Short mmCIF file of all heavy atoms in Angstrom, two decimals:
data_model
loop_
_atom_site.label_atom_id
_atom_site.label_comp_id
_atom_site.label_asym_id
_atom_site.label_seq_id
_atom_site.Cartn_x
_atom_site.Cartn_y
_atom_site.Cartn_z
N SER J 1 -14.24 -13.10 2.94
CA SER J 1 -14.48 -12.11 1.88
C SER J 1 -13.16 -11.75 1.22
O SER J 1 -12.38 -10.96 1.77
CB SER J 1 -15.14 -10.86 2.45
OG SER J 1 -15.22 -9.85 1.45
N LEU J 2 -12.91 -12.32 0.05
CA LEU J 2 -11.68 -12.04 -0.67
C LEU J 2 -11.61 -10.57 -1.08
O LEU J 2 -10.54 -9.96 -1.05
CB LEU J 2 -11.57 -12.94 -1.90
CG LEU J 2 -10.30 -12.78 -2.75
CD1 LEU J 2 -9.07 -13.07 -1.91
CD2 LEU J 2 -10.36 -13.69 -3.96
N VAL J 3 -12.74 -9.98 -1.45
CA VAL J 3 -12.77 -8.58 -1.86
C VAL J 3 -12.32 -7.68 -0.72
O VAL J 3 -11.49 -6.78 -0.88
CB VAL J 3 -14.17 -8.18 -2.35
CG1 VAL J 3 -14.25 -6.67 -2.60
CG2 VAL J 3 -14.52 -8.93 -3.63
N SER J 4 -12.87 -7.90 0.48
CA SER J 4 -12.51 -7.09 1.63
C SER J 4 -11.04 -7.28 2.00
O SER J 4 -10.32 -6.32 2.32
CB SER J 4 -13.39 -7.44 2.84
OG SER J 4 -14.74 -7.14 2.57
N PHE J 5 -10.60 -8.52 1.93
CA PHE J 5 -9.21 -8.83 2.26
C PHE J 5 -8.25 -8.12 1.32
O PHE J 5 -7.29 -7.46 1.75
CB PHE J 5 -9.02 -10.35 2.18
CG PHE J 5 -7.61 -10.81 2.42
CD1 PHE J 5 -7.13 -10.95 3.71
CD2 PHE J 5 -6.78 -11.14 1.36
CE1 PHE J 5 -5.83 -11.38 3.94
CE2 PHE J 5 -5.48 -11.58 1.58
CZ PHE J 5 -5.01 -11.70 2.87
N LEU J 6 -8.50 -8.22 0.01
CA LEU J 6 -7.63 -7.59 -0.98
C LEU J 6 -7.71 -6.07 -0.90
O LEU J 6 -6.70 -5.38 -1.04
CB LEU J 6 -7.99 -8.07 -2.38
CG LEU J 6 -7.70 -9.54 -2.68
CD1 LEU J 6 -8.17 -9.90 -4.09
CD2 LEU J 6 -6.21 -9.85 -2.52
N SER J 7 -8.90 -5.54 -0.65
CA SER J 7 -9.06 -4.09 -0.55
C SER J 7 -8.25 -3.54 0.62
O SER J 7 -7.56 -2.52 0.49
CB SER J 7 -10.54 -3.73 -0.37
OG SER J 7 -11.29 -4.12 -1.50
N ALA J 8 -8.33 -4.22 1.76
CA ALA J 8 -7.56 -3.78 2.93
C ALA J 8 -6.07 -3.86 2.65
O ALA J 8 -5.30 -2.96 3.03
CB ALA J 8 -7.93 -4.65 4.14
N GLY J 9 -5.64 -4.92 1.97
CA GLY J 9 -4.23 -5.06 1.64
C GLY J 9 -3.75 -3.97 0.70
O GLY J 9 -2.66 -3.41 0.88
N LEU J 10 -4.56 -3.63 -0.30
CA LEU J 10 -4.19 -2.58 -1.25
C LEU J 10 -4.09 -1.22 -0.57
O LEU J 10 -3.20 -0.42 -0.88
CB LEU J 10 -5.21 -2.53 -2.39
CG LEU J 10 -5.14 -3.69 -3.39
CD1 LEU J 10 -6.31 -3.61 -4.38
CD2 LEU J 10 -3.81 -3.69 -4.14
N VAL J 11 -4.99 -0.95 0.36
CA VAL J 11 -4.94 0.31 1.11
C VAL J 11 -3.65 0.37 1.93
O VAL J 11 -2.97 1.41 1.97
CB VAL J 11 -6.17 0.46 2.02
CG1 VAL J 11 -5.98 1.61 3.00
CG2 VAL J 11 -7.41 0.70 1.18
N GLN J 12 -3.31 -0.74 2.58
CA GLN J 12 -2.09 -0.76 3.39
C GLN J 12 -0.86 -0.49 2.53
O GLN J 12 0.03 0.29 2.91
CB GLN J 12 -1.94 -2.12 4.07
CG GLN J 12 -2.94 -2.38 5.17
CD GLN J 12 -2.78 -1.45 6.35
OE1 GLN J 12 -1.66 -1.17 6.79
NE2 GLN J 12 -3.88 -0.95 6.86
N VAL J 13 -0.81 -1.12 1.36
CA VAL J 13 0.35 -0.94 0.47
C VAL J 13 0.40 0.48 -0.07
O VAL J 13 1.44 1.15 -0.03
CB VAL J 13 0.31 -1.95 -0.70
CG1 VAL J 13 1.39 -1.62 -1.72
CG2 VAL J 13 0.51 -3.36 -0.17
N ALA J 14 -0.74 0.97 -0.59
CA ALA J 14 -0.77 2.28 -1.26
C ALA J 14 -0.57 3.44 -0.30
O ALA J 14 0.14 4.40 -0.62
CB ALA J 14 -2.09 2.44 -2.01
N VAL J 15 -1.16 3.35 0.88
CA VAL J 15 -1.15 4.50 1.79
C VAL J 15 -0.02 4.44 2.81
O VAL J 15 0.62 5.45 3.10
CB VAL J 15 -2.52 4.61 2.52
CG1 VAL J 15 -2.51 5.78 3.50
CG2 VAL J 15 -3.64 4.77 1.51
N PHE J 16 0.26 3.24 3.33
CA PHE J 16 1.17 3.15 4.46
C PHE J 16 2.53 2.53 4.15
O PHE J 16 3.40 2.51 5.01
CB PHE J 16 0.50 2.36 5.59
CG PHE J 16 -0.74 3.01 6.12
CD1 PHE J 16 -1.98 2.47 5.87
CD2 PHE J 16 -0.66 4.19 6.85
CE1 PHE J 16 -3.13 3.07 6.35
CE2 PHE J 16 -1.80 4.81 7.34
CZ PHE J 16 -3.04 4.26 7.09
N LEU J 17 2.71 2.02 2.92
CA LEU J 17 4.00 1.41 2.58
C LEU J 17 4.64 2.03 1.35
O LEU J 17 5.82 2.39 1.38
CB LEU J 17 3.83 -0.09 2.37
CG LEU J 17 5.10 -0.90 2.10
CD1 LEU J 17 6.11 -0.74 3.23
CD2 LEU J 17 4.78 -2.37 1.88
N ALA J 18 3.89 2.20 0.28
CA ALA J 18 4.44 2.71 -0.98
C ALA J 18 5.17 4.05 -0.84
O ALA J 18 6.22 4.24 -1.47
CB ALA J 18 3.33 2.82 -2.02
N PRO J 19 4.68 5.00 -0.03
CA PRO J 19 5.40 6.29 0.08
C PRO J 19 6.85 6.15 0.53
O PRO J 19 7.70 6.96 0.14
CB PRO J 19 4.57 7.05 1.13
CG PRO J 19 3.21 6.49 1.01
CD PRO J 19 3.41 5.03 0.72
N PHE J 20 7.16 5.11 1.30
CA PHE J 20 8.53 4.93 1.77
C PHE J 20 9.46 4.50 0.63
O PHE J 20 10.68 4.68 0.72
CB PHE J 20 8.57 3.89 2.90
CG PHE J 20 7.94 4.38 4.17
CD1 PHE J 20 6.58 4.27 4.37
CD2 PHE J 20 8.72 5.00 5.14
CE1 PHE J 20 5.99 4.74 5.54
CE2 PHE J 20 8.15 5.46 6.31
CZ PHE J 20 6.78 5.35 6.51
N ALA J 21 8.92 3.94 -0.43
CA ALA J 21 9.70 3.62 -1.62
C ALA J 21 9.72 4.79 -2.59
O ALA J 21 10.74 5.08 -3.23
CB ALA J 21 9.14 2.37 -2.30
N LEU J 22 8.59 5.50 -2.70
CA LEU J 22 8.46 6.57 -3.68
C LEU J 22 9.32 7.79 -3.35
O LEU J 22 9.62 8.59 -4.23
CB LEU J 22 6.99 7.00 -3.79
CG LEU J 22 6.05 5.93 -4.38
CD1 LEU J 22 4.61 6.43 -4.37
CD2 LEU J 22 6.47 5.56 -5.80
N VAL J 23 9.74 7.93 -2.09
CA VAL J 23 10.61 9.07 -1.75
C VAL J 23 11.95 8.96 -2.44
O VAL J 23 12.69 9.96 -2.54
CB VAL J 23 10.82 9.19 -0.22
CG1 VAL J 23 9.54 9.56 0.49
CG2 VAL J 23 11.41 7.91 0.35
N PHE J 24 12.30 7.77 -2.92
CA PHE J 24 13.58 7.59 -3.60
C PHE J 24 13.44 7.67 -5.12
O PHE J 24 14.42 7.50 -5.84
CB PHE J 24 14.19 6.23 -3.21
CG PHE J 24 14.49 6.11 -1.75
CD1 PHE J 24 13.66 5.36 -0.91
CD2 PHE J 24 15.59 6.75 -1.20
CE1 PHE J 24 13.93 5.25 0.44
CE2 PHE J 24 15.88 6.63 0.16
CZ PHE J 24 15.04 5.90 0.98
N VAL J 25 12.23 7.93 -5.59
CA VAL J 25 11.97 8.00 -7.03
C VAL J 25 11.92 9.47 -7.45
O VAL J 25 11.03 10.21 -7.00
CB VAL J 25 10.66 7.30 -7.41
CG1 VAL J 25 10.40 7.42 -8.91
CG2 VAL J 25 10.70 5.83 -6.98
N PRO J 26 12.85 9.93 -8.29
CA PRO J 26 12.82 11.34 -8.73
C PRO J 26 11.53 11.65 -9.48
O PRO J 26 10.98 10.81 -10.18
CB PRO J 26 14.04 11.44 -9.66
CG PRO J 26 14.91 10.27 -9.30
CD PRO J 26 13.98 9.18 -8.87
#
């Protein structure tokens, strides 16, 4: 299921990875 795979990946990036980069963005 490509939809499930991509959805899980987007959640991982948005929720568990992106905040670590956004803390450096004013």
Side-chain angles (χ1 to χ4, degrees):
S1 173
L2 181 59
V3 172
S4 297
F5 177 81
L6 292 177
S7 297
L10 288 173
V11 168
Q12 290 295 318
V13 172
V15 178
F16 297 109
L17 184 58
F20 290 86
L22 294 177
V23 293
F24 298 103
V25 179

